[in-house]
Amino acid sequence: FHITHFFFFLSLSFILVVISWEKTHVISKPGDNVTLSCIYDKEDLQLKNLRVYWQIPNRNCAVVHALISGQDDHSKQCIHFKNRTQLFWDRLEKGDFSLLLLNVSQSDKHTYKCVVQKTYDISKKIYETEVDLGLAASYSQPILSGPIRNSDSTGEELTFYCRSGNGYPKPKVYWINKMDNSRLDPSELKIISHTDGTYSVFSTLKVKATSNMQIECSIENEMLQENLSANYTQQKQDYSPEKPEKKGRVAQAAGIVSIVILAGLLAVIICWLWRRRSSELVSYTGNE
């Protein structure tokens, strides 16, 4: 009987330990506000008998936010979180101790622990949970530009440009030959950081032209499991050079047509002048 109870309590303790160390994963965009969830609704709670700590384990300054006896306590709060944390006061008595973190930045990427304690003569931990905060932002649809090709440009070196921005974290950039799905090595890759914590990416590809080219630029955000791509639409400027003798015949014909037109115009003008003069002579003779 005692052995059965022992294994029962041992199993129960193991389950409680596993539950207390479960993590919630939250992803926020740099500059946004994010809510870190901590909800304990197992029993009626009196705020005056509670202590709630939001902490970052294994840090020199561990206190992110503290609630003691129903009042915010900022005395030991990390300077990094000053004026950037809030509890939801209308939810506290329902056991919702979630934390609102304002203006998230790269330095906020941590695992946060929420610890709820009951305080009587001694403090007793009644609930604990962890939230893993990550940062991510979608990149803009990549823009891929390339040359306008001539039909006889096979073998010529062509340059393609691909750019995207406003994403986080740093992306992976792939150039792909869609004819056989092989990867191509970029000639240049620049990743530029911005003041808001996001990145822009610019990449260049130089390849020899083939008769049928299909090039793709792909921007991958591993954290969001996003893969955005743009394809190069082959643009050819087809032309067939005319033979010199053919050009000469065309020019000669155009010259003849021009001469005929000018001769016709000259004849019309001469005829009009002749008629006008004849009418003037008739009028003069009549006056005599």
Side-chain angles (χ1 to χ4, degrees):
F1 176 78
H2 293 290
I3 294 177
T4 303
H5 276 74
F6 171 76
F7 281 108
F8 171 77
F9 285 115
L10 181 62
S11 300
L12 181 60
S13 300
F14 175 75
I15 293 172
L16 289 175
V17 169
V18 170
I19 292 174
S20 66
W21 283 99
E22 285 184 349
K23 289 184 180 181
T24 302
H25 296 275
V26 178
I27 295 178
S28 174
K29 181 179 179 181
D32 283 358
N33 303 333
V34 64
T35 298
L36 309 180
S37 180
C38 178
I39 300 175
Y40 178 73
D41 55 1
K42 305 300 182 183
E43 58 182 283
D44 293 332
L45 300 173
Q46 298 293 325
L47 292 181
K48 64 180 181 180
N49 298 325
L50 290 180
R51 290 182 180 177
V52 180
Y53 293 99
W54 276 97
Q55 302 173 326
I56 302 176
N58 304 320
R59 291 284 171 174
N60 293 332
C61 184
V63 179
V64 177
H65 196 100
L67 179 76
I68 298 178
S69 301
Q71 300 292 325
D72 284 329
D73 185 346
H74 301 295
S75 60
K76 297 181 180 180
Q77 186 181 35
C78 302
I79 188 66
H80 175 67
F81 294 101
K82 289 288 185 183
N83 302 317
R84 296 182 54 233
T85 58
Q86 297 176 13
L87 296 174
F88 298 92
W89 287 93
D90 58 335
R91 307 179 192 174
L92 293 178
E93 292 185 352
K94 299 176 183 178
D96 188 342
F97 306 109
S98 300
L99 184 72
L100 179 64
L101 180 58
L102 307 175
N103 191 22
V104 174
S105 66
Q106 296 182 42
S107 57
D108 294 324
K109 292 188 299 180
H110 299 292
T111 296
Y112 295 80
K113 180 184 291 186
C114 173
V115 178
V116 182
Q117 298 176 342
K118 270 188 176 181
T119 57
Y120 294 106
D121 295 333
I122 58 173
S123 296
K124 177 184 177 182
K125 181 169 66 176
I126 59 173
Y127 182 67
E128 177 180 310
T129 190
E130 291 186 349
V131 181
D132 188 29
L133 176 60
L135 268 67
S138 296
Y139 280 85
S140 61
Q141 179 65 33
I143 298 175
L144 174 59
S145 58
I148 297 177
R149 294 183 54 206
N150 295 324
S151 59
D152 62 347
S153 62
T154 300
E156 175 186 349
E157 185 177 71
L158 304 179
T159 303
F160 298 89
Y161 305 94
C162 181
R163 66 181 185 273
S164 179
N166 302 318
Y168 186 90
K170 291 182 179 180
K172 290 187 175 180
V173 181
Y174 303 106
W175 287 95
I176 302 171
N177 179 359
K178 296 299 290 181
M179 297 300 297
D180 57 7
N181 287 323
S182 60
R183 289 188 181 179
L184 305 170
D185 294 327
S187 305
E188 182 183 21
L189 177 61
K190 289 183 179 179
I191 297 179
I192 304 169
S193 61
H194 302 294
T195 55
D196 64 355
T198 61
Y199 295 98
S200 290
V201 59
F202 178 84
S203 184
T204 303
L205 174 71
K206 293 184 178 181
V207 292
K208 297 293 184 181
T210 60
S211 58
N212 188 16
M213 296 190 69
Q214 295 182 26
I215 302 295
E216 180 179 272
C217 172
S218 179
I219 308 294
E220 182 183 8
N221 187 325
E222 286 186 311
M223 183 169 287
L224 293 179
Q225 297 184 348
E226 279 186 349
N227 198 320
L228 304 175
S229 61
N231 290 278
Y232 169 72
T233 302
Q234 182 169 306
Q235 303 176 57
K236 289 186 178 181
Q237 193 175 35
D238 293 323
Y239 68 95
S240 53
E242 297 177 343
K243 295 181 179 179
E245 57 271 19
K246 184 177 180 181
K247 287 186 177 181
R249 289 196 298 268
V250 171
Q252 184 178 7
I256 293 172
V257 171
S258 299
I259 292 172
V260 171
I261 292 173
L262 288 174
L265 289 174
L266 183 60
V268 170
I269 293 171
I270 292 172
C271 182
W272 177 77
L273 291 173
W274 182 80
R275 287 183 178 181
R276 182 177 178 183
R277 183 171 181 181
S278 297
S279 62
E280 288 178 352
L281 289 173
V282 171
S283 176
Y284 176 73
T285 304
N287 289 334
E288 289 182 347

